[in-house]
Amino acid sequence: MDSYDIVFLWYPDWIGAMPMPVFTFLESYNFNWKTIIPFCTHGGSKFGSSISDIKKIRPKAYIKEGLAVRASNVGNAKDEVDVWLSKFGMLKQ
Ligand SMILES: Cc1cc2nc3c(=O)[nH]c(=O)nc-3n(C[C@H](O)[C@H](O)[C@H](O)COP(=O)(O)O)c2cc1C
């Protein structure tokens, strides 16, 4: 993890929050001054408590604007994902 400054963090919304292994992942590495970009799929709850949970676990990380996509709409989400990725200069032309 030391060699990464920007981490895209994907997780499904489970019971309105991140799955426990994602909490463990965030707790297992030093994220101080790293950028975390959250991306979640969900059935209607969007991010749930996940953004505030990430901020609580990792107060010294930079948390960027994430994207929540309804799981049933993943197949149609390319344009939305592209717009979002382009905000971070991550979209390959
Ligand atoms: C155990 C479990 C709990 C879930 N809880 C929620 C929830 O509280 N709110 C929500 O919007 N979606 C919930 N979902 C739907 C998941 O977010 C959705 O299935 C997932 O994002 C799609 O990824 P997958 O194909 O890996 O399941 C839940 C799914 C599972 C399996």
Side-chain angles (χ1 to χ4, degrees):
M1 286 298 290
D2 284 351
S3 50
Y4 297 103
D5 294 323
I6 302 173
V7 177
F8 279 82
L9 185 70
W10 175 81
Y11 47 88
D13 183 316
W14 278 9
I15 334 262
M18 297 180 291
M20 279 299 147
V22 183
F23 279 81
T24 304
F25 173 73
L26 287 170
E27 287 160 359
S28 301
Y29 297 98
N30 182 354
F31 282 87
N32 290 355
W33 323 124
K34 292 185 188 293
T35 296
I36 298 175
I37 306 178
F39 174 58
C40 111
T41 50
H42 63 93
S45 305
K46 299 189 176 171
F47 284 109
S49 63
S50 62
I51 302 297
S52 59
D53 289 340
I54 295 169
K55 287 179 180 166
K56 240 179 266 169
I57 300 166
R58 286 295 164 210
K60 292 180 180 166
Y62 304 112
I63 318 294
K64 293 286 188 187
E65 180 193 342
L67 180 70
V69 174
R70 194 180 272 269
S72 59
N73 198 39
V74 162
N76 303 315
K78 185 179 183 311
D79 288 351
E80 193 184 0
V81 172
D82 283 354
V83 168
W84 174 66
L85 286 177
S86 67
K87 290 180 189 167
F88 309 106
M90 293 286 177
L91 184 63
K92 281 196 178 165
Q93 297 302 323

